[in-house]
Amino acid sequence: MQQLEKPPSSQIHIKLNGESTTGLFIAITIIGIWAASLTYLLSVDISKFNFITLLLGIIWQTFLYTGLFITAHDAMHGVVFPKNSKINHFIGSFSLLLYGWLSYSKLLKKHWVHHHHPASESDPDFHNGKQKNFFAWYLYFMKNYWSWQQIIVLTSLYNLSHYFLHIPKDNLTYFWALPAILSSIQLFYFGTFLPHQEPEEGYSEPHRAQTISLPVWLSFLTCYHFGYHNEHHEYPHAAWWQLPKVYKSKTETVSP
């Protein structure tokens, strides 16, 4: 599959995860934790949960859903397992199926367009020039990625899980359906809305992306370092867990 262009090697040097199995290990770990957590949360008696416990469970599962999508996103850049493109893209495809029955090939094509034409009329992630506020832009954004086929499949899985596996609807709603929706909002806010919103002084070419400068621990919790977005566009070959190093290296380079 097509790879995104890499920056000149004379710029910031990063030890790519292609030299090890780190990216693959991290991807499998995220998928494994998501699966184990979902299995547990779908089986517990939530009538014994207080509001705080229920809320923490939803937030935790939302964070793991976001990790699934970030894993697929890294696979689109070929950095989950660069040694073997088939395994790399299988991990990406599998992650998107778990996330919400999304088509990896379709998202891959749109993501290439996004990187080559960021924040422009050609960018499938960008607003249409009218829906610029958060909620309107989010709905316009989601319309480009969701289909009736996905909704039918997911609704069928929801009902089949309830009637044949006897999983309570509350559990399915709170820990399966709701976290997937909330994570889409999280990904849009930190990965599209904030980074690609036009600043007062206008866009900085060519990436038209801004970085959300946060402490590393908070950057991880908000969206797996997706807030280091200008760095991601400038160094698309860097995995999500390498972005803080890229950001730090760039900051040290421009400092007097």
Side-chain angles (χ1 to χ4, degrees), residues 153 155-167 172:
V153 169
T155 302
S156 299
L157 288 174
Y158 180 97
N159 286 294
L160 288 172
S161 297
H162 173 65
Y163 290 109
F164 290 98
L165 299 180
H166 307 294
I167 299 174
L172 287 166

Side-chain angles (χ1 to χ4, degrees), residues 1-12:
M1 290 187 176
Q2 181 181 345
Q3 292 294 322
L4 293 170
E5 296 176 0
K6 296 182 179 181
S9 58
S10 60
Q11 297 181 23
I12 295 172

Side-chain angles (χ1 to χ4, degrees), residues 27-249:
I28 292 174
T29 299
I30 290 174
I31 293 172
I33 294 175
W34 171 87
S37 177
L38 181 62
T39 300
Y40 170 74
L41 290 172
L42 291 181
S43 64
V44 297
D45 181 3
I46 62 173
S47 65
K48 298 179 180 179
F49 283 14
N50 57 37
F51 176 76
I52 298 299
T53 303
L54 179 62
L55 182 62
L56 289 175
I58 294 171
I59 293 173
W60 167 247
Q61 202 61 23
T62 298
F63 179 71
L64 294 177
Y65 262 100
T66 300
L68 282 182
F69 192 91
I70 293 295
T71 297
H73 169 265
D74 266 15
M76 294 177 195
H77 288 272
V79 298
V80 167
F81 195 47
K83 290 182 178 180
N84 190 311
S85 62
K86 289 184 178 180
I87 294 177
N88 175 84
H89 292 303
F90 171 77
I91 293 292
S93 180
F94 186 57
S95 297
L96 284 185
L97 283 177
L98 295 177
Y99 181 81
W101 209 263
L102 291 164
S103 170
Y104 180 76
S105 60
K106 289 183 180 179
L107 264 69
L108 186 59
K109 292 177 181 177
K110 289 185 177 182
H111 197 60
W112 290 343
V113 177
H114 166 69
H115 269 268
H116 289 124
H117 306 282
S120 70
E121 293 180 357
S122 300
D123 182 0
D125 295 353
F126 201 51
H127 57 71
N128 62 357
K130 299 179 180 179
Q131 279 82 8
K132 294 183 179 182
N133 68 72
F134 174 80
F135 291 105
W137 188 353
Y138 171 74
L139 292 176
Y140 180 79
F141 173 88
M142 292 301 292
K143 187 175 66 175
N144 289 329
Y145 288 95
W146 284 90
S147 67
W148 283 109
Q149 180 184 7
Q150 291 167 262
I151 295 174
I152 291 172
V153 169
L154 292 173
T155 302
S156 299
L157 288 174
Y158 180 97
N159 286 294
L160 288 172
S161 297
H162 173 65
Y163 290 109
F164 290 98
L165 299 180
H166 307 294
I167 299 174
K169 284 190 174 182
D170 283 347
N171 294 56
L172 287 166
T173 299
Y174 289 132
F175 304 127
W176 185 56
L178 185 59
I181 296 171
L182 292 176
S183 73
S184 73
I185 296 174
Q186 180 183 9
L187 286 159
F188 172 76
Y189 184 73
F190 290 101
T192 298
F193 181 75
L194 288 183
H196 291 294
Q197 193 177 32
E198 184 173 7
E200 293 182 2
E201 64 276 14
Y203 286 113
S204 177
E205 302 294 346
H207 305 299
R208 295 187 159 213
Q210 304 173 75
T211 282
I212 306 166
S213 182
L214 295 172
V216 174
W217 65 271
L218 185 56
S219 172
F220 171 63
L221 291 178
T222 52
C223 205
Y224 293 77
H225 305 309
F226 220 30
Y228 296 126
H229 212 77
N230 187 64
E231 288 70 25
H232 166 61
H233 274 262
E234 190 171 357
Y235 298 91
H237 63 298
W240 69 262
W241 43 272
Q242 293 176 310
L243 289 174
K245 184 178 180 180
V246 176
Y247 175 73
K248 182 179 179 182
S249 298

